[in-house]
Amino acid sequence: MTIVSSLAYLTASILFILALRGLSHPETARRGLTYGMAGMTLAIVTALLSPHIASWSWIIIGIAIGGSIGTYIAKNIEMTSLPELMAGFHSLVGLAAVCVAGAAFYNPEAFGIGISGNIKTASLIEMALGMAIGGITFTGSIVAWGKLCGKISGKPITFTGQHKLNAMLGGALLLMIILLCATGSGFWFWTIAIIALALGVLMIIPIGGADMPVIVSMLNSYSGWAAAGIGFTLHNNLLIITGALVGSSGAILSYIMCKGMNRSFLSVILGGFGGEEASGASEDLGDRNAKLGAAEDAAYIMKNASKVIIAPGYGMAVAQAQHALREMADILKEEGVEVKYAIHPVAGRMPGHMNVLLAEANVPYDEVFEMEDINRDFAQADVAYVIGANDITNPAAKNDPNSPIYGMPVLDVENAKTVLFVKRSLGSGYAGIDNPLFYGENTMMLLGDAKKMTENIIKAIE
């Protein structure tokens, strides 16, 4: 049975690797999901057939409760709520790591790691690391969830000496792990838990709203390493492999996003990403007035354009405007207009959020371009149609050193001949930063719901 289980776990691991490979491109994403589901099904069945299971009662109850909750969420979740759902699920992985570590510490005989009061040093290291990473992931993900769903301000929450405090807590955490391994005391075990839980909060609250997609990716990585820690404690090779896959892929994705945004990868890990407060006010907008337009104005301008570049943001997701947007693009293409989509690395609230929404509306993949591949095209575009985006188009990131997002690459939509900016109001974006682009000479603000505005533009074009 051990050989069969090992082969099954190896097969599941291969399927997980194929799933990650498939999810790397929109055209193969559905196939990747299929591989992932098959791998997880095989892993669960193999675990349930383990001869080490003494009772099925609690397992059946757990599957019934968790399965019911998962099914309900899957059927009712909106695409716009996926980011906070991901953060919520990451927190559960962290909590699971803490619970397993606690169970192993107080009942080591059941885990084969020694006896109470005399646990193997290697096992103490494993459970301490799992506890620490799990605790940070748990509370950090809860804070991220709060920021993503608006229950906590998207602005950086900072205080004097914050980074020094984080560094001190990090050092204390390492010291507590050493003391735990040296003494096996429950006091140090729970001290690790308390410090980790506090550190999770302190690492994420200084993160600005515009940078949350990178943090979601990084917390995904943390949850993977927490799962790997659980795997060592449970002596489960598949959990170790799966956790390592999630942890490493999340870290790599975070690194790629940081590089694309001109941010420090180390700052992400240490919780300082986007957390520096502006040293002064953002660019003075003075008494400028925004140029307001209507759907008919936008329709006339785009119908007579040669090239239109669409820049979607989270507002498009909230309004569920992706289907209307694709319909508008199809009509423009029938009129002989070249249409492309420009995707910023952190558009939305999680990595690839806009790509998923556009794929849902069956937007052709060859029309969707990443920021680095299309930014230079804005200068040749007649129209930049910005729908529901704000921070990712804010020129303050390039020309205002006092801005919290200074240094972050943004879409150069202001280089287009005309910028049509669809937004509910002239208010600041998720990061709480004013956008001087609203008052540009070539900008026309189309205030209103993104879906209704786009539908009205379609009617006007037709």
Side-chain angles (χ1 to χ4, degrees), residues 255-321:
Y255 175 77
I256 293 173
M257 294 182 71
C258 287
K259 187 177 180 180
M261 294 174 62
N262 194 29
R263 300 291 197 182
S264 168
F265 179 67
L266 184 61
S267 294
V268 181
I269 300 175
L270 298 179
F273 188 45
E276 300 299 332
E277 296 226 60
S279 58
S282 295
E283 180 179 340
D284 183 12
L285 301 180
D287 296 323
R288 296 188 218 173
N289 294 316
K291 187 189 303 180
L292 304 183
E296 292 75 17
D297 302 317
Y300 177 81
I301 292 172
M302 285 197 284
K303 189 173 182 179
N304 290 279
S306 298
K307 184 174 184 177
V308 173
I309 300 179
I310 300 171
Y314 188 65
M316 181 197 76
V318 172
Q320 291 289 287

Short mmCIF file of all heavy atoms in Angstrom, two decimals, residues 255-321:
data_model
loop_
_atom_site.label_atom_id
_atom_site.label_comp_id
_atom_site.label_asym_id
_atom_site.label_seq_id
_atom_site.Cartn_x
_atom_site.Cartn_y
_atom_site.Cartn_z
N TYR A 255 8.15 38.29 -7.73
CA TYR A 255 9.40 38.89 -8.21
C TYR A 255 9.20 39.51 -9.60
O TYR A 255 9.66 40.63 -9.86
CB TYR A 255 10.50 37.84 -8.27
CG TYR A 255 11.78 38.34 -8.88
CD1 TYR A 255 12.65 39.15 -8.14
CD2 TYR A 255 12.13 38.02 -10.19
CE1 TYR A 255 13.82 39.62 -8.70
CE2 TYR A 255 13.29 38.50 -10.75
CZ TYR A 255 14.14 39.30 -10.00
OH TYR A 255 15.29 39.78 -10.57
N ILE A 256 8.50 38.79 -10.47
CA ILE A 256 8.25 39.31 -11.82
C ILE A 256 7.43 40.59 -11.76
O ILE A 256 7.71 41.57 -12.46
CB ILE A 256 7.52 38.24 -12.66
CG1 ILE A 256 8.45 37.05 -12.93
CG2 ILE A 256 7.04 38.84 -13.99
CD1 ILE A 256 7.76 35.89 -13.61
N MET A 257 6.41 40.61 -10.90
CA MET A 257 5.56 41.80 -10.78
C MET A 257 6.34 42.96 -10.17
O MET A 257 6.19 44.11 -10.60
CB MET A 257 4.35 41.47 -9.92
CG MET A 257 3.41 40.46 -10.55
SD MET A 257 1.96 40.14 -9.54
CE MET A 257 1.07 41.68 -9.74
N CYS A 258 7.18 42.66 -9.17
CA CYS A 258 8.00 43.73 -8.57
C CYS A 258 8.95 44.33 -9.60
O CYS A 258 9.14 45.54 -9.66
CB CYS A 258 8.80 43.18 -7.39
SG CYS A 258 7.82 42.84 -5.94
N LYS A 259 9.55 43.47 -10.41
CA LYS A 259 10.47 43.94 -11.44
C LYS A 259 9.74 44.81 -12.44
O LYS A 259 10.26 45.86 -12.88
CB LYS A 259 11.12 42.74 -12.14
CG LYS A 259 12.22 43.12 -13.12
CD LYS A 259 12.87 41.88 -13.71
CE LYS A 259 13.97 42.27 -14.70
NZ LYS A 259 14.61 41.06 -15.29
N GLY A 260 8.52 44.40 -12.82
CA GLY A 260 7.74 45.17 -13.77
C GLY A 260 7.25 46.49 -13.20
O GLY A 260 6.95 47.42 -13.95
N MET A 261 7.18 46.59 -11.87
CA MET A 261 6.69 47.81 -11.23
C MET A 261 7.81 48.64 -10.62
O MET A 261 7.56 49.62 -9.92
CB MET A 261 5.68 47.45 -10.13
CG MET A 261 4.40 46.82 -10.66
SD MET A 261 3.37 46.27 -9.30
CE MET A 261 3.06 47.82 -8.49
N ASN A 262 9.04 48.22 -10.85
CA ASN A 262 10.20 48.96 -10.35
C ASN A 262 10.19 49.04 -8.82
O ASN A 262 10.47 50.08 -8.23
CB ASN A 262 10.24 50.37 -10.94
CG ASN A 262 11.58 51.05 -10.74
OD1 ASN A 262 12.62 50.38 -10.66
ND2 ASN A 262 11.58 52.36 -10.65
N ARG A 263 9.82 47.93 -8.18
CA ARG A 263 9.78 47.86 -6.74
C ARG A 263 10.81 46.86 -6.23
O ARG A 263 11.29 46.01 -6.97
CB ARG A 263 8.39 47.43 -6.26
CG ARG A 263 7.26 48.38 -6.66
CD ARG A 263 7.34 49.69 -5.94
NE ARG A 263 6.06 50.41 -6.02
CZ ARG A 263 5.84 51.60 -5.52
NH1 ARG A 263 6.80 52.25 -4.91
NH2 ARG A 263 4.66 52.17 -5.62
N SER A 264 11.12 46.93 -4.95
CA SER A 264 12.09 46.03 -4.34
C SER A 264 11.41 44.74 -3.89
O SER A 264 10.46 44.77 -3.11
CB SER A 264 12.76 46.70 -3.15
OG SER A 264 13.49 45.77 -2.38
N PHE A 265 11.91 43.61 -4.37
CA PHE A 265 11.36 42.31 -3.97
C PHE A 265 11.56 42.08 -2.48
O PHE A 265 10.70 41.53 -1.81
CB PHE A 265 12.03 41.20 -4.79
CG PHE A 265 11.55 39.82 -4.44
CD1 PHE A 265 10.25 39.43 -4.73
CD2 PHE A 265 12.38 38.90 -3.83
CE1 PHE A 265 9.79 38.16 -4.42
CE2 PHE A 265 11.94 37.63 -3.51
CZ PHE A 265 10.64 37.27 -3.81
N LEU A 266 12.70 42.53 -1.96
CA LEU A 266 12.98 42.37 -0.53
C LEU A 266 11.96 43.14 0.30
O LEU A 266 11.54 42.68 1.37
CB LEU A 266 14.40 42.86 -0.22
CG LEU A 266 14.87 42.67 1.24
CD1 LEU A 266 14.88 41.19 1.60
CD2 LEU A 266 16.26 43.27 1.42
N SER A 267 11.52 44.29 -0.20
CA SER A 267 10.52 45.08 0.53
C SER A 267 9.20 44.34 0.64
O SER A 267 8.47 44.48 1.62
CB SER A 267 10.30 46.43 -0.16
OG SER A 267 11.47 47.23 -0.08
N VAL A 268 8.87 43.57 -0.39
CA VAL A 268 7.63 42.80 -0.36
C VAL A 268 7.70 41.78 0.77
O VAL A 268 6.78 41.63 1.57
CB VAL A 268 7.41 42.07 -1.70
CG1 VAL A 268 6.11 41.29 -1.66
CG2 VAL A 268 7.38 43.06 -2.84
N ILE A 269 8.81 41.06 0.84
CA ILE A 269 8.98 40.02 1.85
C ILE A 269 8.94 40.61 3.25
O ILE A 269 8.38 40.04 4.18
CB ILE A 269 10.30 39.27 1.62
CG1 ILE A 269 10.31 38.61 0.23
CG2 ILE A 269 10.52 38.21 2.69
CD1 ILE A 269 11.62 37.97 -0.11
N LEU A 270 9.54 41.78 3.42
CA LEU A 270 9.64 42.40 4.75
C LEU A 270 8.45 43.28 5.09
O LEU A 270 8.40 43.86 6.16
CB LEU A 270 10.93 43.22 4.83
CG LEU A 270 12.23 42.43 4.67
CD1 LEU A 270 13.42 43.35 4.75
CD2 LEU A 270 12.33 41.33 5.72
N GLY A 271 7.50 43.40 4.14
CA GLY A 271 6.29 44.16 4.45
C GLY A 271 6.44 45.65 4.31
O GLY A 271 5.64 46.40 4.88
N GLY A 272 7.43 46.13 3.58
CA GLY A 272 7.60 47.57 3.43
C GLY A 272 7.16 48.08 2.09
O GLY A 272 7.31 49.24 1.79
N PHE A 273 6.58 47.22 1.27
CA PHE A 273 6.22 47.57 -0.10
C PHE A 273 5.07 48.57 -0.11
O PHE A 273 4.01 48.32 0.41
CB PHE A 273 5.80 46.31 -0.84
CG PHE A 273 5.58 46.49 -2.32
CD1 PHE A 273 6.48 47.20 -3.08
CD2 PHE A 273 4.50 45.93 -2.93
CE1 PHE A 273 6.30 47.33 -4.44
CE2 PHE A 273 4.31 46.05 -4.28
CZ PHE A 273 5.20 46.75 -5.03
N GLY A 274 5.33 49.73 -0.71
CA GLY A 274 4.27 50.73 -0.81
C GLY A 274 3.91 51.36 0.50
O GLY A 274 2.91 52.04 0.62
N GLY A 275 4.72 51.14 1.49
CA GLY A 275 4.35 51.62 2.81
C GLY A 275 4.94 52.95 3.19
O GLY A 275 4.68 53.45 4.27
N GLU A 276 5.77 53.53 2.35
CA GLU A 276 6.36 54.82 2.70
C GLU A 276 5.36 55.93 2.43
O GLU A 276 4.78 56.02 1.35
CB GLU A 276 7.63 55.06 1.88
CG GLU A 276 8.70 54.00 2.11
CD GLU A 276 9.16 53.94 3.55
OE1 GLU A 276 9.09 54.98 4.24
OE2 GLU A 276 9.58 52.88 4.00
N GLU A 277 5.18 56.77 3.38
CA GLU A 277 4.26 57.89 3.19
C GLU A 277 4.91 58.96 2.35
O GLU A 277 6.12 59.12 2.33
CB GLU A 277 3.88 58.47 4.55
CG GLU A 277 3.11 57.47 5.40
CD GLU A 277 1.91 58.11 6.04
OE1 GLU A 277 1.07 58.59 5.26
OE2 GLU A 277 1.84 58.16 7.24
N ALA A 278 4.10 59.70 1.65
CA ALA A 278 4.63 60.77 0.83
C ALA A 278 5.26 61.82 1.72
O ALA A 278 4.77 62.16 2.79
CB ALA A 278 3.49 61.40 0.01
N SER A 279 6.36 62.34 1.25
CA SER A 279 7.05 63.36 2.04
C SER A 279 6.45 64.73 1.85
O SER A 279 6.76 65.67 2.54
CB SER A 279 8.55 63.39 1.65
OG SER A 279 8.67 63.65 0.27
N GLY A 280 5.55 64.84 0.93
CA GLY A 280 4.88 66.11 0.69
C GLY A 280 3.59 65.86 -0.04
O GLY A 280 3.19 64.75 -0.26
N ALA A 281 2.93 66.90 -0.44
CA ALA A 281 1.66 66.75 -1.13
C ALA A 281 1.90 66.30 -2.56
O ALA A 281 2.94 66.49 -3.13
CB ALA A 281 0.90 68.09 -1.13
N SER A 282 0.86 65.67 -3.12
CA SER A 282 0.95 65.29 -4.52
C SER A 282 0.86 66.53 -5.38
O SER A 282 0.66 67.64 -4.89
CB SER A 282 -0.19 64.32 -4.85
OG SER A 282 -0.05 63.13 -4.13
N GLU A 283 0.99 66.33 -6.64
CA GLU A 283 1.00 67.47 -7.56
C GLU A 283 -0.21 68.37 -7.32
O GLU A 283 -1.34 67.90 -7.17
CB GLU A 283 0.98 66.94 -9.00
CG GLU A 283 0.99 68.06 -10.03
CD GLU A 283 0.99 67.50 -11.43
OE1 GLU A 283 1.35 66.35 -11.61
OE2 GLU A 283 0.63 68.25 -12.35
N ASP A 284 0.01 69.66 -7.26
CA ASP A 284 -1.06 70.62 -7.02
C ASP A 284 -1.93 70.72 -8.26
O ASP A 284 -1.47 71.12 -9.33
CB ASP A 284 -0.45 71.99 -6.68
CG ASP A 284 -1.52 73.02 -6.36
OD1 ASP A 284 -2.69 72.61 -6.18
OD2 ASP A 284 -1.18 74.22 -6.29
N LEU A 285 -3.20 70.36 -8.10
CA LEU A 285 -4.10 70.37 -9.24
C LEU A 285 -4.73 71.74 -9.45
O LEU A 285 -5.40 71.98 -10.45
CB LEU A 285 -5.20 69.31 -9.04
CG LEU A 285 -4.69 67.87 -8.87
CD1 LEU A 285 -5.87 66.93 -8.69
CD2 LEU A 285 -3.84 67.45 -10.06
N GLY A 286 -4.51 72.62 -8.50
CA GLY A 286 -5.00 73.99 -8.65
C GLY A 286 -6.50 74.05 -8.85
O GLY A 286 -7.26 73.28 -8.28
N ASP A 287 -6.94 75.00 -9.68
CA ASP A 287 -8.37 75.18 -9.94
C ASP A 287 -8.76 74.62 -11.30
O ASP A 287 -9.68 75.10 -11.95
CB ASP A 287 -8.73 76.67 -9.88
CG ASP A 287 -8.50 77.26 -8.49
OD1 ASP A 287 -8.76 76.53 -7.51
OD2 ASP A 287 -8.05 78.41 -8.41
N ARG A 288 -8.02 73.65 -11.76
CA ARG A 288 -8.31 73.10 -13.08
C ARG A 288 -9.70 72.50 -13.13
O ARG A 288 -10.20 71.94 -12.15
CB ARG A 288 -7.30 72.01 -13.43
CG ARG A 288 -5.87 72.49 -13.54
CD ARG A 288 -5.03 71.36 -14.08
NE ARG A 288 -3.73 71.32 -13.45
CZ ARG A 288 -2.85 70.36 -13.64
NH1 ARG A 288 -3.13 69.38 -14.45
NH2 ARG A 288 -1.69 70.39 -13.04
N ASN A 289 -10.31 72.57 -14.26
CA ASN A 289 -11.62 71.97 -14.48
C ASN A 289 -11.48 70.81 -15.46
O ASN A 289 -10.79 70.91 -16.47
CB ASN A 289 -12.60 73.00 -15.04
CG ASN A 289 -12.90 74.09 -14.04
OD1 ASN A 289 -13.12 73.81 -12.87
ND2 ASN A 289 -12.91 75.34 -14.50
N ALA A 290 -12.15 69.72 -15.15
CA ALA A 290 -12.12 68.58 -16.05
C ALA A 290 -13.08 68.81 -17.21
O ALA A 290 -14.12 69.46 -17.06
CB ALA A 290 -12.51 67.32 -15.29
N LYS A 291 -12.72 68.31 -18.36
CA LYS A 291 -13.56 68.41 -19.55
C LYS A 291 -14.51 67.22 -19.55
O LYS A 291 -14.10 66.07 -19.69
CB LYS A 291 -12.70 68.41 -20.80
CG LYS A 291 -13.47 68.67 -22.09
CD LYS A 291 -12.57 68.43 -23.31
CE LYS A 291 -11.33 69.30 -23.25
NZ LYS A 291 -10.45 69.06 -24.43
N LEU A 292 -15.80 67.47 -19.35
CA LEU A 292 -16.78 66.40 -19.27
C LEU A 292 -17.41 66.16 -20.64
O LEU A 292 -17.64 67.10 -21.41
CB LEU A 292 -17.87 66.76 -18.26
CG LEU A 292 -17.40 67.08 -16.83
CD1 LEU A 292 -18.60 67.36 -15.93
CD2 LEU A 292 -16.56 65.94 -16.27
N GLY A 293 -17.66 64.89 -20.93
CA GLY A 293 -18.26 64.53 -22.21
C GLY A 293 -19.40 63.55 -22.04
O GLY A 293 -19.68 63.08 -20.93
N ALA A 294 -20.04 63.22 -23.13
CA ALA A 294 -21.17 62.29 -23.12
C ALA A 294 -20.86 61.11 -24.02
O ALA A 294 -19.87 61.11 -24.77
CB ALA A 294 -22.44 62.99 -23.57
N ALA A 295 -21.71 60.09 -23.97
CA ALA A 295 -21.50 58.90 -24.78
C ALA A 295 -21.47 59.23 -26.26
O ALA A 295 -20.69 58.64 -27.03
CB ALA A 295 -22.61 57.89 -24.48
N GLU A 296 -22.27 60.18 -26.68
CA GLU A 296 -22.32 60.55 -28.10
C GLU A 296 -20.99 61.16 -28.55
O GLU A 296 -20.53 60.90 -29.68
CB GLU A 296 -23.46 61.55 -28.34
CG GLU A 296 -24.86 60.98 -28.18
CD GLU A 296 -25.25 60.78 -26.73
OE1 GLU A 296 -24.57 61.37 -25.84
OE2 GLU A 296 -26.22 60.05 -26.47
N ASP A 297 -20.38 61.95 -27.68
CA ASP A 297 -19.08 62.54 -28.00
C ASP A 297 -18.02 61.44 -28.18
O ASP A 297 -17.24 61.45 -29.14
CB ASP A 297 -18.63 63.50 -26.89
CG ASP A 297 -19.64 64.61 -26.64
OD1 ASP A 297 -20.15 65.15 -27.64
OD2 ASP A 297 -19.90 64.92 -25.48
N ALA A 298 -18.01 60.48 -27.23
CA ALA A 298 -17.04 59.39 -27.29
C ALA A 298 -17.26 58.53 -28.53
O ALA A 298 -16.30 58.11 -29.18
CB ALA A 298 -17.14 58.55 -26.03
N ALA A 299 -18.52 58.28 -28.86
CA ALA A 299 -18.84 57.46 -30.03
C ALA A 299 -18.32 58.11 -31.32
O ALA A 299 -17.74 57.44 -32.17
CB ALA A 299 -20.35 57.24 -30.12
N TYR A 300 -18.53 59.40 -31.44
CA TYR A 300 -18.07 60.12 -32.64
C TYR A 300 -16.55 60.07 -32.76
O TYR A 300 -16.00 59.82 -33.84
CB TYR A 300 -18.56 61.57 -32.58
CG TYR A 300 -18.08 62.40 -33.74
CD1 TYR A 300 -18.72 62.35 -34.98
CD2 TYR A 300 -16.97 63.23 -33.60
CE1 TYR A 300 -18.26 63.12 -36.05
CE2 TYR A 300 -16.50 64.00 -34.66
CZ TYR A 300 -17.16 63.92 -35.88
OH TYR A 300 -16.69 64.67 -36.95
N ILE A 301 -15.88 60.30 -31.64
CA ILE A 301 -14.42 60.33 -31.65
C ILE A 301 -13.86 58.95 -32.01
O ILE A 301 -12.95 58.83 -32.85
CB ILE A 301 -13.88 60.78 -30.28
CG1 ILE A 301 -14.24 62.24 -30.03
CG2 ILE A 301 -12.36 60.60 -30.20
CD1 ILE A 301 -13.92 62.71 -28.61
N MET A 302 -14.40 57.89 -31.40
CA MET A 302 -13.85 56.55 -31.65
C MET A 302 -14.21 56.02 -33.03
O MET A 302 -13.42 55.33 -33.67
CB MET A 302 -14.33 55.58 -30.56
CG MET A 302 -13.61 55.78 -29.23
SD MET A 302 -13.78 54.38 -28.09
CE MET A 302 -15.45 54.67 -27.53
N LYS A 303 -15.40 56.35 -33.49
CA LYS A 303 -15.81 55.88 -34.82
C LYS A 303 -14.94 56.48 -35.92
O LYS A 303 -14.72 55.85 -36.97
CB LYS A 303 -17.28 56.24 -35.05
CG LYS A 303 -17.87 55.61 -36.30
CD LYS A 303 -19.37 55.88 -36.38
CE LYS A 303 -19.98 55.20 -37.61
NZ LYS A 303 -21.45 55.44 -37.69
N ASN A 304 -14.40 57.66 -35.69
CA ASN A 304 -13.55 58.32 -36.68
C ASN A 304 -12.06 58.13 -36.40
O ASN A 304 -11.22 58.77 -37.03
CB ASN A 304 -13.87 59.81 -36.71
CG ASN A 304 -15.23 60.09 -37.31
OD1 ASN A 304 -15.40 60.11 -38.53
ND2 ASN A 304 -16.23 60.29 -36.46
N ALA A 305 -11.74 57.25 -35.47
CA ALA A 305 -10.35 56.97 -35.13
C ALA A 305 -9.80 55.84 -36.00
O ALA A 305 -10.57 55.06 -36.59
CB ALA A 305 -10.23 56.60 -33.66
N SER A 306 -8.50 55.77 -36.09
CA SER A 306 -7.85 54.66 -36.80
C SER A 306 -7.38 53.58 -35.82
O SER A 306 -7.36 52.39 -36.15
CB SER A 306 -6.65 55.17 -37.61
OG SER A 306 -7.06 56.08 -38.60
N LYS A 307 -6.98 54.03 -34.61
CA LYS A 307 -6.44 53.09 -33.63
C LYS A 307 -6.94 53.47 -32.24
O LYS A 307 -6.77 54.60 -31.80
CB LYS A 307 -4.90 53.12 -33.66
CG LYS A 307 -4.23 52.10 -32.75
CD LYS A 307 -2.72 52.12 -32.96
CE LYS A 307 -2.04 51.05 -32.12
NZ LYS A 307 -0.57 51.01 -32.37
N VAL A 308 -7.52 52.50 -31.55
CA VAL A 308 -8.03 52.69 -30.19
C VAL A 308 -7.38 51.66 -29.27
O VAL A 308 -7.33 50.47 -29.58
CB VAL A 308 -9.57 52.53 -30.12
CG1 VAL A 308 -10.06 52.56 -28.68
CG2 VAL A 308 -10.25 53.61 -30.95
N ILE A 309 -6.86 52.13 -28.14
CA ILE A 309 -6.29 51.23 -27.14
C ILE A 309 -7.14 51.33 -25.88
O ILE A 309 -7.35 52.41 -25.35
CB ILE A 309 -4.83 51.58 -26.81
CG1 ILE A 309 -3.96 51.48 -28.07
CG2 ILE A 309 -4.29 50.66 -25.72
CD1 ILE A 309 -2.50 51.84 -27.82
N ILE A 310 -7.61 50.19 -25.42
CA ILE A 310 -8.47 50.12 -24.24
C ILE A 310 -7.63 49.73 -23.03
O ILE A 310 -6.87 48.76 -23.06
CB ILE A 310 -9.60 49.09 -24.44
CG1 ILE A 310 -10.46 49.50 -25.64
CG2 ILE A 310 -10.44 48.96 -23.18
CD1 ILE A 310 -11.47 48.45 -26.06
N ALA A 311 -7.75 50.52 -21.94
CA ALA A 311 -7.03 50.24 -20.70
C ALA A 311 -8.05 49.94 -19.60
O ALA A 311 -8.62 50.86 -19.01
CB ALA A 311 -6.16 51.43 -20.31
N PRO A 312 -8.31 48.66 -19.30
CA PRO A 312 -9.31 48.32 -18.29
C PRO A 312 -8.73 48.32 -16.88
O PRO A 312 -7.54 48.08 -16.67
CB PRO A 312 -9.73 46.90 -18.69
CG PRO A 312 -8.48 46.32 -19.31
CD PRO A 312 -7.78 47.48 -19.99
N GLY A 313 -9.60 48.59 -15.91
CA GLY A 313 -9.19 48.57 -14.51
C GLY A 313 -10.27 47.93 -13.65
O GLY A 313 -11.26 47.38 -14.17
N TYR A 314 -10.11 48.03 -12.34
CA TYR A 314 -11.02 47.35 -11.43
C TYR A 314 -12.45 47.86 -11.55
O TYR A 314 -13.41 47.12 -11.33
CB TYR A 314 -10.53 47.53 -9.99
CG TYR A 314 -11.29 46.70 -8.98
CD1 TYR A 314 -11.23 45.31 -9.02
CD2 TYR A 314 -12.07 47.30 -8.00
CE1 TYR A 314 -11.93 44.55 -8.10
CE2 TYR A 314 -12.76 46.54 -7.07
CZ TYR A 314 -12.68 45.16 -7.13
OH TYR A 314 -13.37 44.40 -6.21
N GLY A 315 -12.62 49.14 -11.94
CA GLY A 315 -13.96 49.68 -12.11
C GLY A 315 -14.73 48.94 -13.19
O GLY A 315 -15.96 48.79 -13.10
N MET A 316 -14.04 48.44 -14.20
CA MET A 316 -14.69 47.64 -15.23
C MET A 316 -15.21 46.35 -14.62
O MET A 316 -16.31 45.88 -14.94
CB MET A 316 -13.70 47.32 -16.36
CG MET A 316 -14.32 46.50 -17.49
SD MET A 316 -13.10 45.71 -18.58
CE MET A 316 -12.56 44.34 -17.55
N ALA A 317 -14.40 45.75 -13.72
CA ALA A 317 -14.81 44.51 -13.08
C ALA A 317 -16.03 44.71 -12.19
O ALA A 317 -16.96 43.91 -12.20
CB ALA A 317 -13.64 43.95 -12.27
N VAL A 318 -16.01 45.81 -11.42
CA VAL A 318 -17.12 46.09 -10.51
C VAL A 318 -18.42 46.27 -11.29
O VAL A 318 -19.48 45.79 -10.89
CB VAL A 318 -16.82 47.34 -9.66
CG1 VAL A 318 -18.04 47.76 -8.85
CG2 VAL A 318 -15.64 47.08 -8.74
N ALA A 319 -18.34 46.96 -12.42
CA ALA A 319 -19.53 47.22 -13.24
C ALA A 319 -19.89 46.05 -14.14
O ALA A 319 -20.94 46.08 -14.78
CB ALA A 319 -19.29 48.47 -14.09
N GLN A 320 -19.02 45.02 -14.16
CA GLN A 320 -19.23 43.88 -15.06
C GLN A 320 -19.40 44.36 -16.51
O GLN A 320 -20.31 43.93 -17.22
CB GLN A 320 -20.45 43.06 -14.62
CG GLN A 320 -20.27 42.30 -13.32
CD GLN A 320 -19.31 41.12 -13.48
OE1 GLN A 320 -19.63 40.10 -14.08
NE2 GLN A 320 -18.10 41.26 -12.96
N ALA A 321 -18.49 45.22 -16.93
CA ALA A 321 -18.60 45.86 -18.24
C ALA A 321 -17.81 45.14 -19.32
O ALA A 321 -17.77 45.62 -20.45
CB ALA A 321 -18.13 47.31 -18.13
#
